[in-house]
Amino acid sequence: MLKENYDEVVKKVEEACKRVGRDPKEVTVIAVSKTKPLSNVVELQQHGVMDFGENKVQELCSKYEEIEKPVRWHLIGHLQTNKVKYIVDKVELIHSVDSLKLAKQISKEAIKKNVTIPILIQVNVAHEESKFGLDQEAVTEFILEVSKLPNVHINGLMTIAPFVDDPEDNRKYFRELKQLFVDIDSKNFDNVDMSVLSMGMTNDYEVAIEEGATMIRVGTAIFGARNYNI
Ligand SMILES: *Cc1c(COP(=O)(O)O)cnc(C)c1O
């Protein structure tokens, strides 16, 4: 069943790409397995799915330890500086860097483990008080600062758009983030690549792809609704 759900998402990704003349190979689907058992991850892995997203360090670490064959883990949730040390050598990409303090800590721990960590900068495009991320006005200068840190590499931008009934309402935010992405790319900063644009979730990933997303983070459409009470 998970495989059918996943394939359905892939089909919609392909259709969205077709509508705007993009190559579906440009879009990576991250299966967001938070709150779901490892068996769900393994089931998809057996069908060749490799990219999984978690929003909590502890859950990512326990799944990382337990899974037999490795997958690519994406940390997509808010990261506290004191937890960086647990994940620097376990993640493919940290999507949620939103402060200089956090970026410095990632750099510090990455140096200790002799790795270079790819990161995305989280942008709060809709200026929602409840959400983490930088205001778009602050992003360029922030990136210039972070790009000077050793052992971290900026790969792009990420946003969590507002929860809306009509995904069309988020189109303007996705478009704005894509524009910022292009602007920063054109500055050719050292140690900065604008190659990943992580935007779009179950409710709005098709619109996000039409506006240029290269990574979408999809939980509910693949794994079903989450139950936070268990
Ligand atoms: C939970 C989560 C998702 C997936 O949300 P769905 O609506 O279930 O697809 C995507 N991104 C982040 C940052 C999340 O925390």
Side-chain angles (χ1 to χ4, degrees), residues 32 34 55 76-77 158 160 163 200-203 217-221 224 226 228:
V32 178
K34 65 187 186 194
N55 70 337
I76 61 174
M158 175 272 216
I160 304 173
F163 189 81
M201 303 166 40
T202 291
N203 281 321
R217 309 175 309 268
V218 180
T220 310
R226 287 177 291 273
Y228 287 100

Side-chain angles (χ1 to χ4, degrees), residues 180-191:
L180 182 61
F181 181 86
V182 170
D183 288 348
I184 294 170
D185 192 34
S186 73
K187 297 192 192 313
N188 290 315
F189 292 141
D190 284 344
N191 197 29

Side-chain angles (χ1 to χ4, degrees), residues 43-182:
E43 187 180 328
L44 281 178
Q45 180 185 35
Q46 284 164 349
H47 292 290
V49 178
M50 280 299 287
D51 289 278
F52 292 88
E54 289 288 338
N55 70 337
K56 292 214 161 66
V57 167
Q58 200 185 347
E59 192 173 348
L60 190 153
C61 288
S62 70
K63 284 176 177 154
Y64 177 95
E65 301 298 343
E66 284 167 34
I67 201 160
E68 274 176 38
K69 282 184 286 172
V71 295
R72 294 190 284 262
W73 293 108
H74 295 253
L75 187 80
I76 61 174
H78 184 63
L79 177 57
Q80 289 169 296
T81 47
N82 61 347
K83 297 203 172 145
V84 170
K85 57 178 177 288
Y86 302 117
I87 56 141
V88 275
D89 53 350
K90 300 186 176 66
V91 288
E92 177 75 12
L93 180 63
I94 299 175
H95 290 231
S96 45
V97 175
D98 61 356
S99 75
L100 196 55
K101 184 172 166 232
L102 175 60
K104 283 181 174 164
Q105 187 67 20
I106 294 170
S107 173
K108 195 173 138 195
E109 294 296 333
I111 292 168
K112 274 193 212 162
K113 297 214 163 82
N114 199 24
V115 290
T116 292
I117 307 298
I119 63 168
L120 305 181
I121 307 306
Q122 183 170 351
V123 185
N124 185 359
V125 257
H127 299 283
E128 289 180 285
E129 289 207 8
S130 58
K131 298 237 165 85
F132 292 103
L134 289 115
D135 290 340
Q136 44 274 61
E137 297 74 30
V139 173
T140 307
E141 213 178 302
F142 179 76
I143 284 185
L144 201 50
E145 283 302 307
V146 173
S147 70
K148 294 173 192 153
L149 300 172
N151 296 50
V152 292
H153 187 77
I154 299 172
N155 275 23
L157 305 177
M158 175 272 216
T159 198
I160 304 173
F163 189 81
V164 288
D165 288 327
D166 181 358
E168 283 298 328
D169 293 345
N170 282 338
R171 188 179 292 279
K172 58 179 179 296
Y173 298 126
F174 295 141
R175 194 168 286 176
E176 220 179 299
L177 195 66
K178 167 75 188 206
Q179 190 56 52
L180 182 61
F181 181 86
V182 170

